[in-house]
Coordinates of all heavy atoms in Angstrom, one line a residue:
P189 N -14.2 34.9 -3.8 CA -13.3 33.8 -3.3 C -12.3 33.3 -4.3 O -12.5 33.5 -5.5 CB -14.3 32.6 -3.0 CG -15.5 32.9 -3.8 CD -15.6 34.5 -3.9
L190 N -11.1 32.9 -3.7 CA -10.1 32.4 -4.6 C -10.4 31.0 -5.0 O -11.0 30.2 -4.3 CB -8.8 32.4 -3.8 CG -8.3 33.8 -3.3 CD1 -7.1 33.6 -2.5 CD2 -8.0 34.7 -4.5
P191 N -10.0 30.6 -6.2 CA -10.3 29.2 -6.7 C -9.5 28.2 -5.9 O -8.3 28.5 -5.5 CB -9.7 29.3 -8.1 CG -8.8 30.4 -8.3 CD -9.2 31.4 -7.2
A192 N -10.0 27.1 -5.6 CA -9.4 26.1 -4.8 C -8.6 25.1 -5.8 O -9.2 24.5 -6.6 CB -10.4 25.2 -4.0
P193 N -7.4 25.0 -5.5 CA -6.5 24.1 -6.3 C -6.9 22.5 -6.1 O -7.2 22.2 -4.9 CB -5.1 24.3 -6.0 CG -5.2 24.8 -4.6 CD -6.4 25.6 -4.5
A194 N -7.0 21.8 -7.1 CA -7.3 20.4 -6.9 C -6.2 19.6 -6.3 O -5.0 19.8 -6.9 CB -7.8 19.8 -8.3
P195 N -6.3 18.8 -5.4 CA -5.2 18.1 -4.7 C -4.8 17.0 -5.7 O -5.6 16.4 -6.5 CB -5.8 17.5 -3.5 CG -7.3 17.3 -3.7 CD -7.6 18.6 -4.6
L196 N -3.5 16.6 -5.7 CA -2.9 15.7 -6.6 C -2.9 14.2 -5.9 O -2.8 14.2 -4.6 CB -1.5 16.0 -6.9 CG -1.3 17.4 -7.7 CD1 0.2 17.7 -8.0 CD2 -2.1 17.4 -9.0
A197 N -3.0 13.2 -6.7 CA -2.8 11.9 -6.2 C -1.3 11.6 -6.2 O -0.5 12.3 -6.7 CB -3.6 10.9 -7.1
A198 N -1.1 10.4 -5.6 CA 0.3 9.9 -5.5 C 0.8 9.7 -6.9 O 0.1 9.3 -7.9 CB 0.5 8.7 -4.8
D199 N 2.1 10.0 -7.2 CA 2.7 9.9 -8.6 C 2.9 8.4 -8.9 O 2.8 7.5 -8.0 CB 4.0 10.7 -8.8 CG 5.0 10.3 -7.8 OD1 5.3 9.0 -7.6 OD2 5.7 11.1 -7.2
D200 N 3.1 8.1 -10.2 CA 3.1 6.7 -10.6 C 4.3 6.0 -10.0 O 4.1 4.8 -9.6 CB 3.3 6.7 -12.1 CG 2.0 7.2 -12.8 OD1 1.0 7.3 -12.1 OD2 2.1 7.5 -14.1
A201 N 5.4 6.7 -9.8 CA 6.6 6.0 -9.2 C 6.3 5.6 -7.7 O 6.7 4.4 -7.3 CB 7.8 6.8 -9.3
T202 N 5.6 6.4 -7.0 CA 5.3 6.1 -5.6 C 4.4 4.9 -5.5 O 4.5 4.0 -4.8 CB 4.7 7.3 -4.9 OG1 5.7 8.3 -4.8 CG2 4.2 7.0 -3.5
V203 N 3.3 4.9 -6.5 CA 2.3 3.9 -6.5 C 3.0 2.6 -6.8 O 2.7 1.5 -6.1 CB 1.2 4.2 -7.4 CG1 0.3 3.1 -7.6 CG2 0.4 5.4 -6.9
E204 N 3.9 2.5 -7.7 CA 4.5 1.3 -8.2 C 5.5 0.8 -7.2 O 5.5 -0.5 -6.9 CB 5.3 1.6 -9.6 CG 5.9 0.2 -10.1 CD 4.9 -0.9 -10.2 OE1 3.8 -0.6 -10.6 OE2 5.3 -2.0 -10.0
A205 N 6.2 1.7 -6.5 CA 7.1 1.2 -5.3 C 6.3 0.5 -4.3 O 6.7 -0.5 -3.7 CB 7.9 2.4 -4.8
I206 N 5.2 1.1 -3.9 CA 4.3 0.5 -2.9 C 3.7 -0.8 -3.3 O 3.6 -1.8 -2.6 CB 3.3 1.5 -2.4 CG1 4.0 2.7 -1.6 CG2 2.3 0.8 -1.5 CD1 3.2 3.8 -1.3
A207 N 3.3 -0.8 -4.6 CA 2.8 -2.1 -5.1 C 3.7 -3.2 -5.0 O 3.5 -4.3 -4.7 CB 2.2 -1.9 -6.5
Q208 N 5.0 -2.8 -5.5 CA 6.1 -3.9 -5.3 C 6.3 -4.3 -3.9 O 6.5 -5.5 -3.6 CB 7.4 -3.3 -5.9 CG 7.3 -3.1 -7.4 CD 8.6 -2.6 -8.0 OE1 9.6 -2.5 -7.2 NE2 8.7 -2.3 -9.3
A209 N 6.2 -3.3 -2.9 CA 6.4 -3.8 -1.6 C 5.3 -4.8 -1.1 O 5.6 -5.7 -0.4 CB 6.4 -2.6 -0.6
I210 N 4.1 -4.5 -1.5 CA 3.0 -5.3 -1.2 C 3.1 -6.8 -1.8 O 2.9 -7.8 -1.2 CB 1.7 -4.7 -1.6 CG1 1.5 -3.5 -0.6 CG2 0.5 -5.7 -1.4 CD1 0.2 -2.7 -1.0
R211 N 3.6 -6.7 -3.1 CA 3.8 -8.0 -3.8 C 5.0 -8.9 -3.3 O 5.1 -10.0 -3.6 CB 4.1 -7.7 -5.3 CG 2.9 -7.1 -6.1 CD 3.2 -7.2 -7.6 NE 2.4 -6.2 -8.3 CZ 2.8 -5.1 -8.7 NH1 4.0 -4.7 -8.6 NH2 2.0 -4.3 -9.5
S212 N 5.8 -8.2 -2.5 CA 7.1 -8.9 -2.1 C 6.8 -10.0 -1.1 O 7.6 -10.9 -0.9 CB 8.0 -7.9 -1.4 OG 7.5 -7.5 -0.1
G213 N 5.6 -10.1 -0.6 CA 5.2 -11.2 0.2 C 5.4 -10.9 1.8 O 4.8 -11.7 2.5
G214 N 6.1 -9.9 2.1 CA 6.2 -9.6 3.6 C 4.9 -9.1 4.1 O 4.1 -8.5 3.4
K215 N 4.7 -9.2 5.4 CA 3.4 -8.7 6.0 C 3.3 -7.2 5.9 O 4.2 -6.4 6.3 CB 3.4 -9.1 7.5 CG 2.0 -8.8 8.2 CD 2.0 -9.4 9.6 CE 0.8 -9.1 10.3 NZ 0.8 -9.5 11.7
A216 N 2.2 -6.7 5.3 CA 2.1 -5.3 5.0 C 0.8 -4.8 5.7 O -0.2 -5.5 5.9 CB 2.0 -5.0 3.5
A217 N 0.8 -3.5 6.0 CA -0.5 -2.9 6.5 C -0.6 -1.5 6.0 O 0.4 -0.8 5.7 CB -0.4 -2.7 8.1
L218 N -1.9 -1.1 5.7 CA -2.2 0.2 5.4 C -2.7 1.0 6.5 O -3.6 0.5 7.3 CB -3.3 0.3 4.2 CG -3.0 -0.2 2.9 CD1 -4.3 -0.3 2.1 CD2 -2.0 0.7 2.1
L219 N -2.1 2.1 7.0 CA -2.5 2.9 8.0 C -3.2 4.1 7.5 O -2.6 5.0 6.9 CB -1.3 3.3 9.0 CG -1.6 4.2 10.2 CD1 -2.7 3.6 11.0 CD2 -0.4 4.6 11.0
L220 N -4.5 4.1 7.8 CA -5.5 5.1 7.2 C -5.7 6.2 8.2 O -6.0 5.9 9.3 CB -6.7 4.4 6.7 CG -6.6 3.1 5.9 CD1 -7.9 2.5 5.6 CD2 -5.9 3.5 4.6
G221 N -5.8 7.4 7.7 CA -6.2 8.5 8.5 C -6.9 9.6 7.7 O -7.1 9.4 6.4
G222 N -7.4 10.7 8.3 CA -8.0 11.8 7.6 C -9.0 11.4 6.5 O -10.0 10.6 6.8
Q223 N -8.8 11.8 5.2 CA -9.7 11.6 4.1 C -9.7 10.1 3.8 O -10.7 9.7 3.1 CB -9.3 12.4 2.9 CG -9.3 14.0 3.2 CD -10.8 14.4 3.5 OE1 -11.7 14.0 2.9 NE2 -10.9 15.3 4.5
A224 N -8.8 9.3 4.2 CA -8.7 7.9 3.8 C -9.8 7.0 4.6 O -10.0 5.9 4.3 CB -7.4 7.3 4.0
L225 N -10.4 7.7 5.5 CA -11.5 7.0 6.4 C -12.8 7.3 5.9 O -13.8 7.1 6.7 CB -11.2 7.2 7.8 CG -9.8 6.7 8.5 CD1 -9.6 7.2 9.8 CD2 -9.9 5.2 8.4
R226 N -13.0 7.9 4.8 CA -14.3 8.1 4.1 C -14.7 6.9 3.2 O -13.8 6.1 2.8 CB -14.4 9.3 3.3 CG -13.9 10.6 4.1 CD -14.9 11.0 5.2 NE -14.5 12.1 5.9 CZ -14.8 13.3 5.5 NH1 -15.6 13.5 4.5 NH2 -14.4 14.4 6.2
E227 N -15.9 6.8 2.9 CA -16.4 5.5 2.2 C -15.7 5.1 1.0 O -15.2 4.0 0.9 CB -17.9 5.7 1.9 CG -18.6 4.5 1.3 CD -20.0 4.6 1.1 OE1 -20.7 5.6 1.4 OE2 -20.6 3.6 0.5
D228 N -15.5 6.0 0.1 CA -14.9 5.6 -1.2 C -13.4 5.2 -1.0 O -13.0 4.2 -1.6 CB -14.9 6.8 -2.2 CG -16.3 7.0 -2.8 OD1 -17.2 6.1 -2.6 OD2 -16.6 8.1 -3.4
A229 N -12.7 5.9 -0.2 CA -11.3 5.5 0.1 C -11.3 4.2 1.0 O -10.5 3.3 0.6 CB -10.6 6.6 0.9
L230 N -12.3 4.0 1.8 CA -12.2 2.7 2.5 C -12.5 1.6 1.7 O -11.9 0.5 1.8 CB -13.3 2.8 3.7 CG -13.0 3.6 4.9 CD1 -14.3 3.8 5.7 CD2 -11.9 3.0 5.7
L231 N -13.4 1.7 0.7 CA -13.8 0.6 -0.2 C -12.5 0.3 -1.1 O -12.2 -0.9 -1.3 CB -14.9 1.0 -1.1 CG -16.3 1.0 -0.4 CD1 -17.3 1.6 -1.3 CD2 -16.7 -0.4 0.0
A232 N -11.8 1.3 -1.5 CA -10.5 1.0 -2.3 C -9.5 0.3 -1.4 O -8.9 -0.6 -1.8 CB -10.0 2.4 -2.7
A233 N -9.3 0.7 -0.1 CA -8.4 0.1 0.7 C -8.8 -1.3 1.0 O -8.0 -2.3 1.0 CB -8.3 0.8 2.0

């Protein structure tokens, strides 16, 4: 079998831009799908 590449997380710039959007005070929502609906990801959300 071929080695499976490890998936990457969001880069720092993307994470910070989204953090700023949430901090801005406007009404925000996380729309979760796929792997984001498993226990560890749900707890983080």
Side-chain angles (χ1 to χ4, degrees):
L190 299 175
L196 300 176
D199 59 47
D200 293 345
T202 297
V203 171
E204 183 53 35
I206 290 172
Q208 287 181 9
I210 292 173
R211 292 191 200 102
S212 71
K215 187 176 179 182
L218 291 171
L219 178 54
L220 310 175
Q223 298 296 316
L225 292 170
R226 305 295 183 88
E227 181 176 359
D228 289 345
L230 285 169
L231 289 170

